[in-house]
Amino acid sequence: MFQASGGWIEVVAGVMFSGKSEELQRRVRRALIARKRVQVFKSHLDARYGGVHRVSSHDGRMLEAIPAESAAQIGQQIDPQAQVIAVDEAQFLDDGIVPLATSLAERGRRVILAGIDTDFRGEPFGPMPVLMALAEVVDKLHAICVLCGNPASRTQRLINGRPAAYDSPTIMVGGSESYEARCRACHVVPRPDDRQVRLL
């Protein structure tokens, strides 16, 4: 594990069902064992499983968390004594999470952020790409493709059992009833004719 005398940023990224929340929980528990003062936040949009006041993994593990609508709301609730700040579902937060995480790290805090790095289209999701670029530590996790069994690097959104169209809303919170983990080859996003990608 990376060590630094000051603060730093860690990002746990990947597709749905890759174990991001479990990894965030593991790091938080280790920090607590090390007698660090820890605060855990999550996007208020994720009310699945244990509700908005818990970070929940797909396997049922839970961790108490403070729900937040924005990076500014997180900033207003930071405990001055907290040494470790963890944020789950960071992809749902506004771009203000980038300067907030940077400021916390510069003030000696360990900042752990977990989130989906690409949306259902396979494109960069919210502030995650910038967070990954600025972090000292980045771990990109993979799930298993439900169709072929290869490492999954994409999140497939399903609507009535069929792949969601490209122009569907970017944010739609759901679980296994709405999403599958897929590899690049098995990931399908129907596009209108005028949005077809042309390979030059």
Side-chain angles (χ1 to χ4, degrees), residues 10-133:
E10 302 171 24
V11 174
V12 181
V15 298
M16 287 184 67
F17 314 111
S18 62
K20 300 179 304 300
S21 295
E22 293 170 65
E23 178 59 21
L24 180 136
Q25 290 173 354
R26 186 187 74 84
R27 294 184 191 193
V28 165
R29 289 192 178 102
R30 289 176 64 87
L32 290 170
I33 291 169
R35 296 186 173 87
K36 302 294 183 184
R37 193 175 180 105
V38 180
Q39 262 189 307
V40 181
F41 296 90
K42 66 176 284 189
S43 166
H44 76 291
L45 292 177
D46 184 13
R48 299 170 300 168
Y49 311 122
V52 295
H53 293 280
R54 290 184 178 87
V55 170
S56 303
S57 60
H58 293 289
D59 68 356
R61 296 182 185 182
M62 296 185 189
L63 186 68
E64 292 298 317
I66 301 167
E69 294 182 21
S70 65
Q73 197 173 76
I74 292 175
Q76 292 165 2
Q77 298 181 81
I78 295 291
D79 177 350
Q81 302 304 312
Q83 299 159 293
V84 179
I85 309 297
V87 181
D88 196 31
E89 304 293 352
Q91 78 276 0
F92 291 144
L93 293 169
D94 56 272
D95 290 342
I97 193 63
V98 175
L100 176 62
T102 301
S103 173
L104 289 169
E106 288 173 351
R107 287 183 280 150
R109 314 291 181 84
R110 177 186 177 190
V111 184
I112 309 168
L113 304 118
I116 300 172
D117 56 339
T118 57
D119 62 20
F120 78 97
R121 302 176 185 94
E123 297 175 351
F125 200 164
M128 291 299 292
V130 178
L131 290 168
M132 293 169 75

Side-chain angles (χ1 to χ4, degrees), residues 165-167 189-198:
Y166 183 93
D167 56 1
V189 182
R191 294 170 179 258
D193 290 341
D194 61 343
R195 286 204 175 169
Q196 290 293 337
V197 174
R198 296 182 180 178

